[in-house]
Amino acid sequence: MANLVNRRVVLFKRPKGVPDAEHFAVEDVRVPELQDGQFLVQCEYWSVDPAMRGWVNDVPNYLPPVAIGAPMRSFAVGQIVASRHSDYTEGETVTGMFGWQRFAVSDGSNVDRRVAEADLSASLALGVLGLNGITAYFGLLDVCKPKPGETVVVSTAAGSVGSAVGQIARLKGCRTVGIAGGPEKTALCRESFGYGAAIDYRNENVLDGVKAACPDGVDCYFDNTCGPISDAVMTCLAQGARIAICGTAAHTDWDPIPAGPRVHRQLLVARARMQGFLVLDYKARYPEALAALAGWVREGKLAYNEHILDGADAARGAIQMLYEGGNTGKLLVSVD
Amino acid sequence: MANLVNRRVVLFKRPKGVPDAEHFAVEDVRVPELQDGQFLVQCEYWSVDPAMRGWVNDVPNYLPPVAIGAPMRSFAVGQIVASRHSDYTEGETVTGMFGWQRFAVSDGSNVDRRVAEADLSASLALGVLGLNGITAYFGLLDVCKPKPGETVVVSTAAGSVGSAVGQIARLKGCRTVGIAGGPEKTALCRESFGYGAAIDYRNENVLDGVKAACPDGVDCYFDNTCGPISDAVMTCLAQGARIAICGTAAHTDWDPIPAGPRVHRQLLVARARMQGFLVLDYKARYPEALAALAGWVREGKLAYNEHILDGADAARGAIQMLYEGGNTGKLLVSVD
C-alpha cells in the first residue's frame, strides 16, 4: 500500500478541557502493507462526538487518553478497499473506531458493524443509525423507561442524540419538552423534531420554562449537560422520576470536580433514580436498536440533521465547534 | 377520658435546620372523649428519627411541616387502652404516627402495624423491627440489590439503620465496610455488627480508608450523609455501582441547596445508579421485611443497640442529640 497516502489528524498537544484547532495537526504518512488477518478501510466520513473531549484529556475515563502524535480516536464509516482478512471483503461498508485518518488498517477488533442499509446514506451510520441514535434508544428506553403519557425533558434537544430521544419518546406516547440554545434550535425542536414545548436556555429562564411546560413535574430527564440547565430540571422532578446521564457537556474540566447543588435530597424527596450509562455496554443489543431506528427513518417518523465539515483541516476545530454549539445536527467530517 | 392527662411535646417555634430543646415545649392537656370509630393509644416509647428535622422545617418535603403548637410528629409504640373502633381492641400493641404525646386518639389511619412479636420488647418495633430495620431491608435489598461477594459501604454504619444494613449485607454474602464517627462506634461496627472493616471519619482520612478497604471499588453504597463522607465514597465506585440515598444528615439546611462535587460524571464513568427511596412506599411489603428481621433477631444474627431517654423533657433535645451523634443505637424516649 506504499503508493497510498494516509492523511490523518493527530493529537499535537494535550488540552485541559475542550481541544481546539491548535491541539491537532494534519500530517500525511504512507499506508503500511497489510498483514494476513488485516484489511484496509478508506474512510468516507469521520464522526465528531462530545466524548472525544474526554478521550484527549488526561483524567480517569472509560478509555485511556489518546497519545500525543497518535491519530485522533473517533468513529468513522468507510469502505473496505483491500482485505487479507477472511471475514471482511472488499466493497463492504463498515463503521468502527478508525480514527481521524483517510486509511485505517484494521484486524476487525475496532469494527462496530457492517452497514447493511444500502438504501440510506453511509453518513447515517455515524448519526441516527449509529451511536447517536443507539444512545438515544437505550438511554431513553432502557434507562429512563418512559411510560405513555409521561413528561420527558431532553437537554441538548436539537442535537444528534437529543433530537432522537425526543422523537422516540413521542413515538412512545410521551409529552416531550426540549431545551436548546437559541431560537433556531428551539424552532427545529418544535418543527422538525415534534417537541410539545421547547425552551431556549440562552434567552429564557429555564426553571420558569420547565415549570410552565411540566405542570405535573418531570417524569424522565435525559441529560447531556450537568450544569445550570440540569440544576433547574432537577428542582421539578415528579415522584419516581428517572434521570439518564448521557453526557456532561456544561463542564469542560473535571479536575477538580466542579461543584453544584447537591442532588441527593431531590432524589430522596422524589424517590427518583439518576443513572449513568454508556452505549458501548449495549453492543449485544445494537441490532434491536438499529432495526427500530432504520424502520422509523424509512417511514419518515424519525427526522435528523447533518452538519458536514469538509476535510482534515476543518476537523481540527470540530470538537470546539461542537462544544460551542456551532453545529446544527450531527457533526461529521467529509474525508478528503 | 377527661380524667386522663395527656403530656405532650409540641413545636414551640420553627427552626432553621436542626431543632434543639428551645424549639419544643412540654405541656399537659386533657384527653378528649373518644368518638365512634376512634381508639386511645397509651404510648410506651417515642421514636427519634433523622427525618424529624425535615418535618419541622418549612421546606418542600414528602409531608407538610408540623404546625407551631402541634405535638411533634413522630413514630411511637403503645398499647390500646380504650376503643370505640371495631377493628382495634383494648390490649393490642400498635405502632404508628402517634406523635410525642402520652395519649394519642386514633381512627386507625395513622397506625403502621399491630405488633405481634410478644416475645420481644415493644421498643424493637420502633427500631430493628420498625422503620429502621425495614428501611435497611428495602434500601439494601430492593434499591442496592447486592450480590454475594460484592463490597457494600455503609455510612452512619453504627446507627440504627446502618447497623442493620451492614448485618443484612453480610448475611447475603457481601463484604461490608462501615463508616462511623469515633473509635467507640467503629469498635461497635467490627465487634457487634460484623463489618469486615470500619473507618472512623473523625480520626481517619475517609478517602484513604475507603480505597484501602475497597481495592476493587464500591459496588453498593448505602448513604445517610450526603456530605464529605459521601463525596469520598463516590470517587471509588466500581462499574455498575448502586447508591441508595436514605438520608442527608450532613446538611442541616437545604434552603438554599448546599453545593458539593457534581456526581454526574462519576455516575457516567461507572455506569452507576443513585436512587432515593422512602420506606413508607414499601408499606405493602412490610410483612416480608418484618418476618425476615424478626427471624434474624430471634436467631441472634441481627444485633441492635437502643439508647433510651427518660421522659418528655428529655425529648426536647433528642433530635439535636441525634444529629450530633451523641446516641449509641436507636434513640428512643421512654414516655413518662
Side-chain angles (χ1 to χ4, degrees), chain B residues 46-119:
Chain B
W46 297 331
S47 188
V48 185
D49 296 290
M52 294 166 82
R53 181 188 63 185
W55 297 343
V56 292
N57 279 275
D58 193 13
V59 293
N61 207 301
Y62 47 88
L63 290 172
V66 175
I68 300 294
M72 180 59 200
R73 181 185 296 148
S74 90
F75 296 99
V77 63
Q79 202 172 36
I80 296 174
V81 291
S83 180
R84 294 180 63 180
H85 191 298
S86 54
D87 295 342
Y88 291 90
T89 312
E90 213 179 299
E92 284 191 291
T93 297
V94 287
T95 63
M97 199 74 104
F98 302 136
W100 278 356
Q101 46 185 354
R102 184 188 287 163
F103 289 104
V105 175
S106 174
D107 62 2
S109 62
N110 56 354
V111 169
D112 261 338
R113 71 174 183 106
R114 291 172 162 88
V115 179
E117 303 82 20
D119 56 323

Side-chain angles (χ1 to χ4, degrees), chain A residues 263-269 272, chain B residues 139 143-144 221-226 230 234 243-248 274-278:
Chain A
V263 297
H264 305 64
R265 191 139 199 103
Q266 292 160 339
L267 295 178
L268 184 60
V269 171
Chain B
V143 179
C144 288
Y221 177 40
F222 190 99
D223 186 34
N224 252 312
T225 62
C226 178
S230 181
M234 288 297 289
I243 302 107
I245 307 292
C246 176
T248 57
M274 182 182 245
Q275 187 169 342
F277 75 100
L278 188 65

Side-chain angles (χ1 to χ4, degrees), chain A residues 57-70:
Chain A
N57 279 274
D58 193 13
V59 293
N61 206 302
Y62 46 90
L63 290 172
V66 175
I68 301 295

Side-chain angles (χ1 to χ4, degrees), chain B residues 109-163:
Chain B
S109 62
N110 56 354
V111 169
D112 261 338
R113 71 174 183 106
R114 291 172 162 88
V115 179
E117 303 82 20
D119 56 323
L120 301 168
S121 164
S123 62
L124 296 196
L126 296 178
V128 70
L129 301 185
L131 288 188
N132 294 141
I134 298 171
T135 297
Y137 184 91
F138 289 114
L140 179 71
L141 300 182
D142 205 71
V143 179
C144 288
K145 295 185 167 52
K147 301 182 198 76
E150 287 194 327
T151 298
V152 176
V153 174
V154 184
S155 66
T156 63
S160 42
V161 175
S163 63

Side-chain angles (χ1 to χ4, degrees), chain B residues 199-274:
Chain B
I199 300 163
D200 174 359
Y201 70 80
R202 291 198 176 142
N203 297 294
E204 294 176 52
N205 179 295
V206 175
L207 180 55
D208 292 345
V210 173
K211 280 182 178 167
C214 310
D216 299 324
V218 175
D219 298 297
C220 298
Y221 177 40
F222 190 99
D223 186 34
N224 252 312
T225 62
C226 178
I229 292 170
S230 181
D231 300 341
V233 177
M234 288 297 289
T235 67
C236 302
L237 299 183
Q239 280 216 4
R242 289 84 69 198
I243 302 107
I245 307 292
C246 176
T248 57
H251 297 280
T252 54
D253 192 354
W254 282 86
D255 180 22
I257 300 172
R262 290 180 180 273
V263 296
H264 304 65
R265 191 140 199 101
Q266 293 161 339
L267 296 178
L268 184 60
V269 171
R271 293 84 134 168
R273 166 165 63 80
M274 182 182 245

Side-chain angles (χ1 to χ4, degrees), chain A residues 251 257-261, chain B residues 259-262:
Chain A
H251 297 280
I257 300 172
Chain B
R262 290 180 180 273

